[in-house]
Amino acid sequence: MIARLANAAAAREHCRSWAREGRSIGFVPTMGALHAGHLSLVERAAAENDRVIVSIFVNPTQYDDPDDLANYPRPLERDLEAAASAGAQAAYLPDFDDVYPDGYRFRVTENAFSRELEGAHRAGHFDGVLTVVMKLFGVVRPDRAYFGEKDWQQLQLVRDMAAAFFLDVEVLPCPVVREADGLAMSSRNVRLSEEERRRAPEFHRLLASGRPEGDIRSALEAAGFGVDYVERRGGRVLGA
């Protein structure tokens, strides 16, 4: 049975007890609504560590759209069962006051890359992401933490933050898990209409087509997508 840890004190003590036993700790931070992509991270953590803890916290500080926050799915019992089946022994399940006893008065800010790509269109988003990850790392003190490459910019920023602050954690990337038609698995996919779901795989197909970025953008717009950006970074084409 997975241990339910409702606050930072309980999660910290649980993880410290593992550390005192000499157990390595793998950590998978999530916002819940777990799908096969999340579970692949848990399974890898279980394969590479003695103990695995997940966190489930829908972090309001990384949202710029109140409706998106309010409508994010929260199937907690199903998530806990799935995490346990994938190899997690514990789940940290905080609320806002537990994570932000300061009311988000203190935060982590990156002043360059976080303002590009996603950050250019979502003010304050990465402040919220980096702050909550820093706090979670401080509670869990994992040896390794696992992040999906689907959120590539987030992954790079978290890795850079860990290095900049000399955090004793290895931040590991995990491949994108896709549906059979190529759509990246996402907790928000359930909110797509039938027509949107039918059209969605075209996004990945065009990004992976090898065409110039301007051509990809034009093709996406012609297919009915509203395009924020299409840019080549780190040897890959990124888009939203």
Side-chain angles (χ1 to χ4, degrees):
M1 179 177 294
I2 194 167
R4 303 184 183 211
L5 309 170
N7 55 56
R12 184 181 297 114
E13 178 53 33
H14 201 88
C15 292
R16 282 179 177 174
S17 71
W18 286 342
R20 286 193 295 268
E21 295 169 357
R23 309 288 189 179
S24 60
I25 300 172
F27 178 41
V28 181
T30 83
M31 293 203 300
L34 304 185
H35 51 67
H38 295 111
L39 299 179
S40 70
L41 274 61
V42 178
E43 289 166 355
R44 180 172 169 190
E48 296 179 354
N49 300 275
D50 299 319
R51 297 289 184 268
V52 176
I53 180 170
V54 302
S55 62
I56 298 176
F57 175 61
V58 183
N59 178 38
T61 66
Q62 68 191 67
Y63 281 83
D64 57 357
D65 182 347
D67 290 337
D68 193 17
L69 173 62
N71 292 319
Y72 193 89
R74 294 168 169 84
L76 179 59
E77 296 304 320
R78 190 191 73 189
D79 285 347
L80 292 173
E81 181 179 348
S85 296
Q89 289 83 29
Y92 176 32
L93 310 171
D95 61 17
F96 181 87
D97 290 337
D98 185 64
V99 174
Y100 297 103
D102 62 324
Y104 196 42
R105 189 161 61 95
F106 296 94
R107 63 192 68 182
V108 178
T109 298
E110 193 275 352
N111 289 313
F113 188 37
S114 64
R115 299 183 179 184
E116 303 172 13
L117 302 175
E118 291 289 318
H121 301 273
R122 302 176 67 183
H125 169 68
F126 286 116
D127 283 8
V129 170
L130 294 175
T131 301
V132 75
V133 171
M134 176 72 88
K135 287 172 173 281
L136 293 170
F137 282 175
V139 171
V140 174
R141 304 290 177 91
D143 297 286
R144 302 174 187 88
Y146 298 81
F147 290 81
E149 291 182 322
K150 178 174 72 70
D151 299 309
W152 183 85
Q153 186 177 12
Q154 171 181 280
L155 167 65
Q156 305 310 311
L157 286 166
V158 170
R159 294 178 86 171
D160 290 350
M161 179 185 72
F165 287 98
F166 308 107
L167 303 182
D168 192 16
V169 56
E170 186 178 6
V171 177
L172 295 169
C174 298
V176 180
V177 176
R178 300 185 180 278
E179 304 283 0
D181 58 8
L183 178 64
M185 290 189 175
S186 169
S187 303
R188 294 181 177 85
N189 287 348
V190 297
R191 295 168 55 188
L192 297 175
S193 68
E194 185 175 337
E195 170 57 23
E196 289 169 338
R197 178 63 185 82
R198 182 193 65 76
R199 190 170 68 243
E202 187 71 0
F203 181 78
H204 170 61
R205 189 188 72 77
L206 286 168
L207 285 185
S209 66
R211 296 163 63 176
E213 293 93 294
D215 290 355
I216 293 172
R217 184 184 188 107
S218 297
L220 285 169
E221 291 172 341
F225 291 92
V227 181
D228 288 338
Y229 64 84
V230 175
E231 295 190 27
R232 186 177 299 276
R233 297 291 182 91
R236 65 184 70 199
V237 176
L238 307 173

